Amino acid sequence: IARLDRIEAMLAQGAREYLDNDAAASFLGLQPNTLEVWRSQATGPAFVRVGRKVMYAVADLRSWMEARRQKPLA
Protein backbone atom coordinates (compact mmCIF):
# COMPACT_ATOMS: atom_id res chain seq x y z
CA ILE A 1 0.00 0.00 0.00
CA ALA A 2 2.78 2.44 0.85
CA ARG A 3 4.43 1.78 -2.52
CA LEU A 4 1.17 2.48 -4.35
CA ASP A 5 0.68 5.66 -2.30
CA ARG A 6 4.17 6.85 -3.31
CA ILE A 7 3.44 6.17 -6.98
CA GLU A 8 0.05 7.89 -6.76
CA ALA A 9 1.66 10.92 -5.09
CA MET A 10 4.31 11.07 -7.81
CA LEU A 11 1.63 10.93 -10.50
CA ALA A 12 -0.47 13.57 -8.74
CA GLN A 13 2.50 15.90 -9.00
CA GLY A 14 2.49 15.35 -12.75
CA ALA A 15 5.77 13.47 -12.66
CA ARG A 16 5.14 11.11 -15.58
CA GLU A 17 2.32 10.24 -17.92
CA TYR A 18 4.14 7.11 -19.16
CA LEU A 19 5.93 4.47 -17.13
CA ASP A 20 8.66 2.07 -18.22
CA ASN A 21 8.20 -1.67 -17.80
CA ASP A 22 9.57 -1.79 -14.24
CA ALA A 23 7.54 1.18 -13.00
CA ALA A 24 4.38 -0.12 -14.69
CA ALA A 25 4.86 -3.52 -13.09
CA SER A 26 5.33 -1.86 -9.70
CA PHE A 27 2.20 0.24 -10.28
CA LEU A 28 0.21 -2.96 -10.96
CA GLY A 29 1.86 -4.91 -8.13
CA LEU A 30 3.46 -7.38 -10.55
CA GLN A 31 6.93 -8.60 -11.39
CA PRO A 32 8.42 -6.89 -14.48
CA ASN A 33 8.77 -10.27 -16.16
CA THR A 34 4.99 -10.73 -16.02
CA LEU A 35 4.44 -7.75 -18.32
CA GLU A 36 7.14 -9.04 -20.68
CA VAL A 37 5.38 -12.42 -20.90
CA TRP A 38 1.99 -10.79 -21.43
CA ARG A 39 3.40 -8.67 -24.28
CA SER A 40 4.76 -11.79 -25.98
CA GLN A 41 1.32 -13.41 -25.63
CA ALA A 42 -0.51 -10.28 -26.92
CA THR A 43 -2.35 -9.87 -23.63
CA GLY A 44 -2.15 -7.46 -20.72
CA PRO A 45 -2.40 -3.67 -20.80
CA ALA A 46 -1.81 -1.62 -23.94
CA PHE A 47 1.75 -0.38 -24.42
CA VAL A 48 3.77 1.89 -26.68
CA ARG A 49 7.07 0.86 -28.18
CA VAL A 50 9.53 3.69 -28.79
CA GLY A 51 12.48 2.08 -30.52
CA ARG A 52 13.38 -0.77 -28.21
CA LYS A 53 11.85 0.85 -25.14
CA VAL A 54 8.38 -0.16 -23.95
CA MET A 55 6.24 2.41 -22.19
CA TYR A 56 2.81 2.18 -20.56
CA ALA A 57 0.41 5.13 -20.30
CA VAL A 58 -0.81 5.48 -16.73
CA ALA A 59 -4.35 6.01 -18.09
CA ASP A 60 -4.12 2.66 -19.93
CA LEU A 61 -2.94 0.89 -16.78
CA ARG A 62 -5.84 2.34 -14.79
CA SER A 63 -8.36 1.38 -17.50
CA TRP A 64 -6.94 -2.12 -17.71
CA MET A 65 -7.23 -2.55 -13.95
CA GLU A 66 -10.76 -1.13 -13.89
CA ALA A 67 -11.86 -3.55 -16.62
CA ARG A 68 -10.83 -6.42 -14.34
CA ARG A 69 -12.72 -5.18 -11.29
CA GLN A 70 -14.86 -7.91 -9.78
CA LYS A 71 -17.67 -7.67 -7.32
CA PRO A 72 -17.23 -9.68 -4.12
CA LEU A 73 -19.07 -12.95 -3.81
CA ALA A 74 -21.85 -12.84 -1.27
Side-chain angles (χ1 to χ4, degrees):
I1 299 288
R3 178 185 60 204
L4 182 57
D5 289 340
R6 281 195 318 272
I7 292 171
E8 288 288 344
M10 176 186 72
L11 294 173
Q13 296 171 358
R16 292 193 283 179
E17 184 177 341
Y18 287 86
L19 303 175
D20 64 15
N21 188 74
D22 291 351
S26 179
F27 181 84
L28 295 172
L30 303 170
Q31 293 296 317
N33 188 44
T34 301
L35 289 176
E36 294 168 11
V37 170
W38 286 351
R39 282 195 309 273
S40 72
Q41 296 173 345
T43 186
F47 63 94
V48 176
R49 190 176 299 276
V50 181
R52 296 179 76 182
K53 189 155 182 93
V54 172
M55 304 293 288
Y56 291 88
V58 173
D60 288 340
L61 296 175
R62 290 178 193 270
S63 294
W64 185 82
M65 288 175 60
E66 188 63 32
R68 279 144 189 79
R69 181 182 297 265
Q70 296 184 15
K71 295 183 180 180
L73 301 175

